[in-house]
Amino acid sequence: MATPSAARGPCERYVPALLFGPLVEPLVHPKPGGVTRLRSHPDKGLGDFMAHAAAVGSALMAACEASASGAGDPVEAGLEAYEGSLEGLGLRTNVGLGHAVLLVPLAAALPSWRGGLERLASEASRIARAAGEGAGAAYARLLARLAPSHLGSYRGPAPDVSRPLARAARFADLLGASAWDLVHSEVLGGYRLSLRAAGWIGDLVRRGRGLEEAAALALLRLVSEAGDTLTALRHGMRAYLIMRAEASLALASPDPLEAAERLDAEWRRRGWSPGSAMDVLAAAISLLYLEWLSR
């Protein structure tokens, strides 16, 4: 006889696991330069992230259900649900857009998933690349609403994600216009860094670290190895390189969590926050919870 968990549909069973990343990542402390359960930013705090997580949850369920039923483009359905939730909740701060962009394709891949995070990530990336002009228009509206200034301005053959679209564009075209961005490159490239970070966190937990400590250490490793594209755009390549070097030094110190606390004070003084890397950390936590739930 099937267990109650196994009898539930993939959306009901697995979407809550994907939502763990947006819920858990903002709580993690220490997280140099980021919002945590003990630290806020002048323009956003923990409550903002919890409100946006509710909006992301509606997006994930809409994407999964659209995929399961074959009712149109699941990425479009998810992004439109996210847009509707932001409108309903009166949210205009750019807090959860990176979470939504990373996780909506993963939610859309759940109905056909038969196990293995790499297979899920590969299918999610395929779905994102295949998403049509409706998904592109929905993403363009979200960009206009939330105005993530770090994506900058673009000149070239692809659409400029920072301006109103002069012509219809597919979702992948908009991601490709800023493919250097960590979030965009993850979605287009099969979530390689998110999968690696999920593995790092899982290994640390198996060796006795708590989830919060493991996630904090994984963020240091993410920044040391991949840097943070938001920081590069806001503060320049010198800041990007210094951030990577300082994260590496903290990770190699005798007490990396204590070093992260010191780094937090320094990065806040400079106005640095590795927001793109933290979005990837959230995706990694979601993937890890999904793996745990599916055992």
Side-chain angles (χ1 to χ4, degrees):
M1 179 180 295
T3 65
S5 177
R8 286 154 42 201
C11 300
E12 182 184 355
R13 184 181 183 196
Y14 294 127
V15 163
L18 280 186
L19 190 56
F20 264 89
L23 289 169
V24 171
E25 180 272 318
L27 298 170
V28 172
H29 185 91
K31 211 166 58 209
V35 169
T36 76
R37 58 186 172 81
L38 300 179
R39 303 277 192 273
S40 295
H41 284 179
D43 61 336
K44 64 181 74 75
L46 197 57
D48 298 295
F49 278 89
M50 297 302 103
H52 276 265
V56 171
S58 69
L60 302 187
M61 189 59 73
C64 186
E65 290 179 344
S67 181
S69 66
D73 184 338
V75 176
E76 179 181 354
L79 294 179
E80 286 186 342
Y82 183 61
E83 181 184 18
S85 292
L86 293 181
E87 186 68 35
L89 293 168
L91 301 174
R92 301 198 69 89
T93 305
N94 180 27
V95 170
L97 183 58
H99 296 160
V101 171
L102 283 162
L103 296 177
V104 160
L106 288 167
L110 288 173
S112 62
W113 186 46
R114 298 297 179 268
L117 293 184
E118 291 80 7
R119 287 193 293 272
L120 180 73
S122 178
E123 176 64 7
S125 189
R126 185 199 66 77
I127 289 171
R129 292 193 301 269
E133 293 176 356
Y139 189 38
R141 291 194 301 271
L142 286 165
L143 290 168
R145 178 186 180 89
L146 299 173
S149 59
H150 73 280
L151 290 178
S153 183
Y154 166 83
R155 292 182 181 179
D160 182 349
V161 299
S162 68
R163 298 178 181 175
L165 293 180
R167 60 179 176 83
R170 296 167 56 252
F171 181 58
D173 292 333
L174 294 181
L175 298 182
S178 299
W180 44 261
D181 177 68
L182 273 181
V183 170
H184 287 189
S185 65
E186 280 294 282
V187 177
L188 291 172
Y191 296 81
R192 291 186 293 266
L193 194 55
S194 303
L195 290 167
R196 288 173 61 200
W200 301 337
I201 298 169
D203 287 344
L204 288 167
V205 169
R206 284 188 289 274
R207 283 154 45 192
R209 292 278 193 177
L211 177 64
E212 183 177 23
E213 290 184 353
L217 293 171
L219 178 64
L220 289 178
R221 187 167 176 181
L222 274 169
V223 175
S224 69
E225 294 190 8
D228 180 67
T229 48
L230 185 151
T231 299
L233 262 292
R234 284 183 173 171
H235 303 284
M237 285 304 298
R238 184 173 182 272
Y240 169 89
L241 294 172
I242 292 172
M243 178 178 274
R244 287 188 64 180
E246 290 181 340
S248 296
L249 289 171
L251 195 60
S253 70
D255 188 341
L257 293 175
E258 181 182 350
E261 287 273 18
R262 295 194 300 270
L263 205 54
D264 183 41
E266 186 59 29
W267 287 3
R268 286 177 192 278
R269 183 186 66 79
R270 300 173 193 163
W272 292 4
S273 180
S276 298
M278 287 187 286
D279 287 339
V280 174
L281 178 65
I285 293 170
S286 290
L287 287 168
L288 184 62
Y289 268 95
L290 189 61
E291 180 182 53
W292 288 344
L293 181 65
S294 64
R295 288 175 180 171

